[in-house]
Amino acid sequence: MSKNYLLMYSEQLATDIELLCQNTKAPSNTLFQIRKSSSSVYANICEANYGQSRADMLSKFEIALKECSETEGWLQLLFNTKSIDEDTFKKNRNLCGRIRRLLIASCKTLKDKS
């Protein structure tokens, strides 16, 4: 079940960040990086659903976890530079946190089964 939530939340994150970038005035590199990291969370979770093995699935989830952390960092930078407001920051940071917790639990489960 958590895989479905992971996919749903990661798709929401990638979509929300894309829309945020389309409507935010910030340095182009920052917008490029947050688009890249948030879409990578979604892409890796999609790939994990069709992993060739448990190890492959675990690897994809671990990459998604790192990309999720990176996305949070870019969100913090956008907030610190007043490119996004506090509500936007908190909404997206909380979504990252939700994804992160599910990924950590999924990684633990996969490691325990190995």
Side-chain angles (χ1 to χ4, degrees), residues 31-49:
L31 297 177
F32 171 77
Q33 293 293 343
I34 196 169
R35 274 183 168 124
K36 196 169 138 221
S37 62
S38 65
S39 62
S40 181
V41 173
Y42 176 55
N44 277 287
I45 290 169
C46 285
E47 283 187 54
N49 285 322

Side-chain angles (χ1 to χ4, degrees), residues 20-65:
L20 179 149
C21 288
Q22 290 175 15
N23 297 300
T24 300
K25 186 170 171 39
S28 60
N29 183 58
T30 304
L31 297 177
F32 171 77
Q33 293 293 343
I34 196 169
R35 274 183 168 124
K36 196 169 138 221
S37 62
S38 65
S39 62
S40 181
V41 173
Y42 176 55
N44 277 287
I45 290 169
C46 285
E47 283 187 54
N49 285 322
Y50 294 95
Q52 297 169 331
S53 64
R54 273 198 185 108
D56 185 40
M57 183 182 275
L58 177 61
S59 175
K60 299 292 189 249
F61 280 163
E62 287 175 334
I63 292 167
L65 185 57

Side-chain angles (χ1 to χ4, degrees), residues 2-112:
S2 64
K3 267 198 279 187
N4 292 334
Y5 282 113
L6 264 175
L7 194 57
M8 182 181 71
Y9 291 148
S10 65
E11 181 179 8
Q12 182 183 344
L13 178 66
T15 302
D16 289 354
I17 294 298
E18 178 57 37
L19 293 171
L20 179 149
C21 288
Q22 290 175 15
N23 297 300
T24 300
K25 186 170 171 39
S28 60
N29 183 58
T30 304
L31 297 177
F32 171 77
Q33 293 293 343
I34 196 169
R35 274 183 168 124
K36 196 169 138 221
S37 62
S38 65
S39 62
S40 181
V41 173
Y42 176 55
N44 277 287
I45 290 169
C46 285
E47 283 187 54
N49 285 322
Y50 294 95
Q52 297 169 331
S53 64
R54 273 198 185 108
D56 185 40
M57 183 182 275
L58 177 61
S59 175
K60 299 292 189 249
F61 280 163
E62 287 175 334
I63 292 167
L65 185 57
K66 290 191 276 188
E67 296 291 341
C68 192
S69 178
E70 180 181 342
T71 300
E72 287 180 275
W74 290 116
L75 282 167
Q76 185 69 55
L77 184 63
L78 287 169
F79 177 65
N80 291 349
T81 58
K82 299 181 182 8
S83 297
I84 59 173
D85 63 30
E86 188 172 4
D87 287 343
T88 301
F89 169 67
K90 285 182 176 179
K91 179 185 135 224
N92 287 287
R93 184 194 59 193
N94 290 344
L95 184 53
C96 284
R98 198 173 306 141
I99 293 166
R100 196 170 12 85
R101 286 186 296 278
L102 288 169
L103 283 168
I104 289 168
S106 296
C107 288
K108 183 181 180 331
T109 299
L110 285 167
K111 286 176 183 175
D112 289 347

